[in-house]
Amino acid sequence: MLRTLSIRDFAIIDRLVLEFAPGLNVITGETGAGKSILIGALNLILGGRAGSEMVRAGADRAVIDAVFDIGASPGALGCVADLGFDAEDGLLYLTRELLSAGKSSARIGGRPAAVAQLKAVGDWLVDLHGQHEHQSLLASARHVDILDEWSGPEAAALRGETALAFEALRALVRERDALKTDERERAHLVDLYAFQTREIAEAALSPGEEEELAQEARRLSNAQKLACSAAAAAQALSGDGAEGAVQAIAAAARELEEAAALDERLAPLVAAVNGARYELEEASRDLVRYQGSIEDNPKRLEQIETRLEAVRALKRKYGDTIEEVLEFGRQIAARLDALTHREDRGRELDAEISAADACLADRCHALTALRTSQARAFAEAVLAELGDLAMERTRFEAGIEPAQRGPTGADRVEFLIAPNPGEPLRPLARIASGGEMSRVMLAIKGAMARQEPLPTMVFDEIDVGVGGRTAGVIAGKLAALARAAQVLCITHLPQIASRGGSHHFIEKTTASDRTIVSVSTLTADARVQEIARMLGGADVSEVVIQHAREMLGAA
């Protein structure tokens, strides 16, 4: 469940902290007070789209923080763990920061996270229903998703397999279509690929070759300098007379050896000096050998330069490194092979396409069978919810018809309803009453919640166009849902507001020419006044106040 939502410099909100309770939390206030901004902030923290216009004017950034208690939600805990984050003591901390320049960042459990990861976690935390949510129910394309979601993990697995089978088939078809290119274009490509393959193969490149050649070229170009340096160094180490370093250190060793005979503490120094002497003697011999190995070979240098220029020419055409040139050659050789053996590959593709098509058909058939078996149970669950919403004589079905195969199967699902006895079943989109549509939506959401309730459900003014007895019925259903999950509801209806276990009041004021939005949790007396305002508008009489008390008492 959502424990805390903290908002700073978001839209017209300066600073706001809301603490929510289990059960039904209602949020009320005058029209335009900023209630829907709260939903926008919540949507942002759940990985929704961000825009620089969301940052409060004059601020450099907007920050949204939320704390969720997911200790009782294995699915959410598993998702968080799978993404590599932690929920300490079952508490999950989410942060979304949006800069006025347009960039945004996210954190999960205090650690940087991608927005996609935030959304993946958010899908386990909150089910958000906006005031225009019922419009999505009017689109029959959404119905198959709802039925599959109701059907649970088996449907999700089958849909995943179907999507993979569809993509595999599509990839094979694309490859086969690519083989059917114009014959003249194919001949041109064969000539081009053959030339490129031959040019790279004949070069006989080796990884690391360029660096080795460059080093050898440097040695050959500086042969005289290297020889002179080696000779000078060798002379300095072992020159004639007492001028060489080796002779000097040998003299030092002799003096120390004589002194060590008188004072044994000098013995380690004797060993150290003799060790240095032996190393210098070996270095001197190595320098003499190195000097002898120096080759002044202009012809070899010319060969190397010619080879390096050939390597650079290939790199200009095929890649930045020898490894990339060789990889390009392998790719071109594969394309050449595909073009020259097009007929063979075409026959292979026909067989592969036939097998992939059969695999897709099998997955679609299994998905259709599952949907058909689940559609009746889903309809019964929705009808049970509609009965609670005073639509007990309604008929409802999830109709399934064949459709063109695609990544979601080969079915067209459409919800059919007859709100009144004697009427034929019609598509849900033909329901004219806003009150009926709101109740159908609540029934579907209630049925979904029975299958796998989310920790938090949010309803943003789903009561638009609803009043009278229907408002009371919807209020009862929301209260019932709140017994299984935390419910947050923005509402204009006193019938719903009176059922809340926690009541938050939002208002908008102006101070120092700036708009300020504030939220307060209402006390018992303040709730009476707010319910009375919702009942009677600006004219709140004692009769209206008494009515408000009665509503709260009944709730």
Side-chain angles (χ1 to χ4, degrees):
M1 72 171 218
L2 175 62
R3 281 196 173 186
T4 306
L5 180 66
S6 174
I7 306 170
R8 189 180 73 202
D9 293 326
F10 179 75
I12 61 172
I13 295 177
D14 179 14
R15 292 177 186 273
L16 210 60
V17 177
L18 293 93
E19 294 186 355
F20 297 101
L24 178 58
N25 295 257
V26 296
I27 302 171
T28 64
E30 295 283 0
T31 300
K35 297 184 295 298
S36 291
I37 297 177
L38 298 181
I39 301 301
L42 186 58
N43 185 61
L44 195 67
I45 199 69
L46 297 173
R49 187 195 67 83
S52 58
E53 73 281 357
M54 298 176 178
V55 180
R56 180 175 167 84
D60 62 346
R61 69 191 64 208
V63 181
I64 317 294
D65 292 292
V67 181
F68 287 88
D69 186 343
I70 62 172
S73 176
L77 287 168
C79 177
V80 171
D82 290 343
L83 292 173
F85 298 99
D86 298 312
E88 188 174 347
D89 296 327
L91 296 181
L92 181 65
Y93 296 83
L94 304 181
T95 299
R96 186 83 182 272
E97 187 173 292
L98 173 62
L99 300 181
S100 57
K103 293 184 178 180
S104 73
S105 61
R107 291 191 294 277
I108 299 176
R111 294 171 48 203
V115 173
Q117 292 176 312
L118 198 64
K119 187 178 187 310
V121 172
D123 287 343
W124 283 97
L125 301 177
V126 173
D127 197 8
L128 200 157
H129 315 297
Q131 56 182 303
H132 303 297
E133 171 91 0
H134 62 274
Q135 295 297 328
S136 67
L137 291 179
L138 300 180
S140 58
R142 171 82 177 102
H143 296 176
V144 67
D145 298 329
I146 294 173
L147 179 58
D148 287 346
E149 188 177 345
W150 154 268
S151 301
E154 185 179 358
L158 272 176
R159 274 188 65 147
E161 294 170 7
T162 303
L164 289 175
F166 177 79
E167 184 52 43
L169 175 60
R170 190 164 63 171
L172 291 170
V173 171
R174 281 198 301 264
E175 184 180 352
R176 184 181 63 184
D177 292 343
L179 285 180
K180 297 179 180 179
T181 54
D182 180 76
E183 186 62 30
R184 181 178 298 174
E185 175 65 15
R186 189 187 74 85
H188 169 73
L189 289 175
V190 167
D191 290 343
L192 174 63
Y193 294 163
F195 170 78
Q196 291 175 330
T197 302
R198 185 170 58 253
E199 184 178 34
I200 294 173
E202 290 176 353
L205 299 172
S206 300
E209 174 187 4
E210 188 176 16
E211 292 76 10
E212 294 176 3
L213 289 173
Q215 290 177 7
E216 186 179 354
R218 281 195 298 274
R219 287 195 298 271
L220 289 171
S221 299
N222 297 279
Q224 291 184 358
K225 185 178 184 305
L226 291 171
C228 290
S229 296
Q235 177 66 26
L237 288 176
S238 58
D240 296 336
E243 295 180 359
V246 173
Q247 288 79 4
I249 202 169
R254 287 192 296 273
E255 293 292 337
L256 283 173
E257 286 171 352
E258 292 178 3
L262 302 174
D263 186 352
E264 62 182 11
R265 290 180 300 173
L266 291 172
L269 287 175
V270 172
V273 171
N274 278 325
R277 171 189 170 188
Y278 300 144
E279 288 186 11
L280 288 177
E281 288 175 346
E282 182 63 29
S284 178
R285 287 190 290 272
D286 288 344
L287 281 169
V288 172
R289 286 192 293 270
Y290 175 78
Q291 183 182 1
S293 70
I294 296 298
E295 180 184 13
D296 188 5
N297 190 341
K299 184 176 181 180
R300 173 57 182 164
L301 179 59
E302 183 180 353
Q303 292 173 345
I304 290 174
E305 292 292 351
T306 300
R307 177 62 173 174
L308 285 173
E309 180 54 38
V311 171
R312 286 191 285 267
L314 289 173
K315 285 168 58 180
R316 283 194 294 270
K317 287 197 274 186
Y318 304 125
D320 293 334
T321 65
I322 286 180
E323 287 76 8
E324 290 184 11
V325 172
L326 293 172
E327 177 59 28
F328 181 85
R330 286 189 287 269
Q331 293 176 1
I332 290 301
R335 295 180 193 175
L336 178 62
D337 183 71
L339 286 173
T340 53
H341 299 85
R342 188 177 65 166
E343 293 183 0
D344 294 340
R345 180 55 182 157
R347 286 191 291 270
E348 291 176 1
L349 281 172
D350 287 339
E352 291 176 16
I353 287 172
S354 178
D357 187 73
C359 177
L360 177 59
D362 178 70
R363 296 298 83 199
C364 288
H365 177 74
L367 199 49
T368 298
L370 178 64
R371 285 168 178 161
T372 302
S373 67
Q374 292 292 324
R376 179 180 293 277
F378 173 72
E380 290 175 352
V382 172
L383 286 171
E385 295 288 328
L386 286 172
D388 295 340
L389 289 162
M391 293 181 69
E392 60 277 352
R393 303 185 70 183
T394 298
R395 288 191 296 144
F396 178 88
E397 288 183 9
I400 301 176
E401 296 179 355
Q404 184 177 358
R405 288 184 303 180
T408 61
D411 303 308
R412 180 179 179 272
V413 177
E414 183 164 21
F415 297 155
L416 307 173
I417 192 167
N420 302 304
E423 293 181 357
L425 287 165
R426 291 189 177 91
L428 189 61
R430 296 188 186 179
I431 294 181
S433 166
E436 287 177 334
M437 182 57 74
S438 293
R439 282 185 281 177
V440 170
M441 188 204 70
L442 260 181
I444 290 175
K445 297 303 179 182
M448 301 295 289
R450 286 188 185 184
Q451 284 291 88
E452 189 172 355
L454 283 169
T456 300
M457 303 179 74
V458 180
F459 296 91
D460 179 15
E461 298 186 8
I462 63 161
D463 49 26
V464 171
V466 174
R469 180 173 176 271
T470 300
V473 170
I474 291 177
K477 175 51 65 176
L478 288 171
L481 281 174
R483 288 194 286 272
Q486 182 190 45
V487 175
L488 277 57
C489 183
I490 292 177
T491 182
H492 286 289
L493 291 181
Q495 292 93 331
I496 294 176
S498 65
R499 301 295 291 268
S502 178
H503 190 153
H504 305 275
F505 177 71
I506 184 167
E507 61 180 336
K508 182 168 60 177
T509 57
T510 302
S512 301
D513 296 327
R514 291 302 301 269
T515 300
I516 298 175
V517 175
S518 61
V519 175
S520 57
T521 301
L522 299 183
T523 63
D525 290 340
R527 284 195 74 187
V528 173
Q529 293 297 322
E530 173 61 3
I531 299 297
R533 181 197 65 79
M534 298 174 76
L535 285 167
D539 184 18
V540 178
S541 65
E542 186 58 38
V543 173
V544 175
I545 290 177
Q546 182 58 33
H547 186 190
R549 287 197 182 99
E550 292 173 356
M551 288 187 71
L552 287 166

